[in-house]
Amino acid sequence: MSSKLTFMPISHTGWGALEQLTDEAERLNASNVLIVTDPFLEELGMTKKIVEPLEAKGWKTSIYTEVVPEPPLEVGEKLVAYTKENKFDLVIGLGGGSALDLAKLAGVLATHEGNVADYLNLTGERALVDKGIPRILIPTTSGTGSEVTNIAVLSLESSKDVVTHDYLLPDVAIVDPELTVSLPPKVTAATGIDALTHAVEAYVSKNANPVTDGLALQAIRLISGSIRTAVEDGENKEARTNMSYGSYLAGLAFFNAGVAGVHALAYPLGGQFHISHGESNAVLLPYVMGYIRPSCEKRMKDIVEAMGVNVTQLDDQQASYACVEELKKLVADVNIPVSLKGFDIGEDALDSLADDGIKQTRILARSPMPLEREDIYAIYHAAYSGE
Ligand code: NAD
């Protein structure tokens, strides 16, 4: 079977990569630049690092700071309306996945009729027709990989939906680990496990191929080897660099191979209980992998090996159990609750979570084990009881 692979944005990676910003903006013929970010990053003074060199070139800049974590649809609608009213020629997204996803929508939908809702994957009825205004995406978390994917995620009342098309891909990604040093331990942990989940799900995806396998395994090595240090000592340059490269590689892997059960079940947790995307993935990761384990034992042996555990003496089945244990241990080590009870979610919520989880048919299709509603309920139940 053949595979389509997309590695689109020109990428500048590594400590100090931000220095490439003005050259790239110049190449894209910028003169009136919109910067999409969140108020906290503005407060931290991070937007200055973007605005000053651009203004030194004589370009006009406008900073839009109304991004909120896990942005609801209405926040996207407001930003897109604002972008349409102004004649920007470049959109820069600065922040975590929330800011980057909104920057993608602003850039693409500026040249489209209708609302964001019209383009949603599950309920929208319009199709994107062009790539809109050029975009440069600059992540400040090591998590989503949004800087290299063609997806923008929005929160709806009880779950999430996405706008997805290759037109959403940015022109340039600038992945500078220095911008992640200010991340607090809790966000480092949650976003880091999000990135690990991308790599793990890409590796066991039905759409995996040797290219995505290489990306995913290297991401797993980098993230599992550095996340504890990055959480404990946020100024550790090596750990921050490994996390940035890990999340970038995991982004490329999952964009091309897809994610599956963990993400499908995480969306309702985020939607119904406003748990961050990273924590939603983290609390479910060991339980989804534990459930689908019989369908991908050999692959789980590769994963646990990439996590640095010596399993040479174990057969595939034994190693797959070791993989589940190692994932659980890693989540606990970075201080994320390892059961839904840790998020005050009661057993009475599991039915409605399962009702929304089964709706994520596009994502569930990549699971190596088909998951029906009763399977999804069983996984939520395991995550609730912690077993
Ligand atoms: P986020 O963007 O919501 O940011 C989380 C918090 O971290 C915010 O309060 C933000 O102000 C803060 N923060 C960000 N960078 C910081 C820094 N350097 N220092 C201090 N604080 C900082 O978090 P996220 O996990 O990166 O993004 C989550 C969003 O991305 C969700 O909506 C999720 O669904 C989406 N997502 C998108 C993709 C994709 O491919 N497009 C993939 C996965 C997740």
Side-chain angles (χ1 to χ4, degrees):
M1 194 179 68
S2 71
S3 307
K4 177 192 170 205
L5 291 160
T6 309
F7 299 106
M8 252 286 280
I10 290 175
S11 303
H12 295 280
T13 61
W15 206 268
L18 189 59
E19 283 170 19
Q20 305 305 317
L21 175 62
T22 37
D23 282 358
E24 288 296 350
E26 193 150 34
R27 193 176 59 79
L28 294 168
N29 295 318
S31 63
N32 184 14
V33 184
L34 169 65
I35 295 142
V36 178
T37 190
D38 73 45
F40 186 58
L41 296 181
E42 166 79 335
E43 231 174 81
L44 277 181
M46 215 175 272
T47 45
K48 269 198 206 143
K49 295 183 183 183
I50 309 293
V51 169
E52 284 178 359
L54 298 180
E55 290 192 341
K57 286 271 183 186
W59 300 331
K60 186 168 175 248
T61 59
S62 305
I63 306 176
Y64 188 93
T65 58
E66 290 182 39
V67 173
V68 296
E70 321 284 325
L73 177 62
E74 306 76 64
V75 174
E77 299 286 14
K78 200 170 162 195
L79 169 62
V80 169
Y82 169 79
T83 314
K84 282 182 178 178
E85 280 162 21
N86 294 277
K87 295 276 168 255
F88 299 112
D89 49 27
L90 174 68
V91 178
I92 295 180
L94 173 74
S98 300
L100 303 194
D101 284 3
L102 290 179
K104 288 175 174 172
L105 289 175
V108 176
L109 293 182
T111 57
H112 284 76
E113 288 179 2
N115 298 321
V116 181
D118 298 329
Y119 297 91
L120 285 174
N121 183 60
L122 294 176
T123 51
E125 285 174 359
R126 284 181 190 253
L128 295 173
V129 294
D130 63 54
K131 70 189 280 292
I133 306 170
R135 290 171 297 284
I136 298 178
L137 298 186
I138 308 172
T140 63
T141 62
S142 295
T144 67
S146 174
E147 68 277 9
V148 290
T149 71
N150 67 355
I151 310 160
V153 189
L154 291 160
S155 297
L156 306 178
E157 212 162 285
S158 64
S159 191
K160 288 189 170 188
D161 198 358
V162 299
V163 178
T164 177
H165 192 287
D166 283 353
Y167 286 143
L168 263 77
L169 283 163
D171 297 82
V172 178
I174 297 181
V175 186
D176 186 340
E178 194 171 359
L179 300 177
T180 67
V181 167
S182 52
L183 278 172
K186 192 170 172 344
V187 187
T188 302
T191 51
I193 299 285
D194 182 25
L196 180 70
T197 306
H198 293 154
V200 168
E201 292 218 275
Y203 192 68
V204 300
S205 165
K206 269 167 63 177
N207 293 351
N209 61 59
V211 179
T212 58
D213 287 351
L215 295 165
L217 285 178
Q218 181 63 357
I220 292 166
R221 282 185 204 106
L222 288 170
I223 297 164
S224 58
S226 290
I227 189 169
R228 292 176 177 89
T229 309
V231 169
E232 278 160 25
D233 172 15
E235 298 199 358
N236 186 301
K237 194 169 165 180
E238 188 185 355
R240 287 298 191 189
T241 301
N242 287 343
M243 292 302 292
S244 278
Y245 273 109
S247 80
Y248 174 80
L249 288 166
L252 291 173
F254 95 81
F255 168 39
N256 284 286
V259 287
V262 182
H263 275 73
L265 274 67
Y267 282 174
L269 270 188
Q272 294 185 27
F273 293 95
H274 306 290
I275 300 170
S276 76
H277 179 68
E279 286 178 317
S280 305
N281 276 336
V283 69
L284 292 167
L285 178 63
Y287 303 102
V288 173
M289 296 310 291
Y291 198 86
I292 66 169
R293 193 195 49 72
S295 67
C296 50
E297 288 173 347
K298 167 74 182 81
R299 293 219 148 218
M300 287 177 68
K301 184 172 188 181
D302 297 341
I303 291 170
V304 71
E305 270 177 338
M307 292 179 80
V309 181
N310 184 348
V311 287
T312 41
Q313 303 301 319
L314 303 185
D315 64 25
D316 292 352
Q317 187 187 54
Q318 291 165 328
S320 68
Y321 281 114
C323 181
V324 175
E325 286 316 305
E326 189 60 20
L327 290 170
K328 209 170 186 176
K329 183 168 175 302
L330 185 56
V331 172
D333 284 354
V334 295
N335 305 314
I336 297 177
V338 286
S339 91
L340 294 180
K341 287 178 194 159
F343 293 98
D344 287 332
I345 296 175
E347 200 170 0
D348 55 341
L350 305 186
D351 261 316
S352 97
L353 287 170
D355 287 344
D356 280 338
I358 192 65
K359 289 181 191 155
Q360 298 290 341
T361 44
R362 184 184 61 90
I363 307 181
L364 287 168
R366 285 86 160 249
S367 173
M369 178 189 278
L371 295 173
E372 305 297 339
R373 190 191 177 283
E374 71 249 34
D375 302 307
I376 291 173
Y377 184 91
I379 295 169
Y380 280 127
H381 197 273
Y384 163 77
S385 61
E387 281 155 16

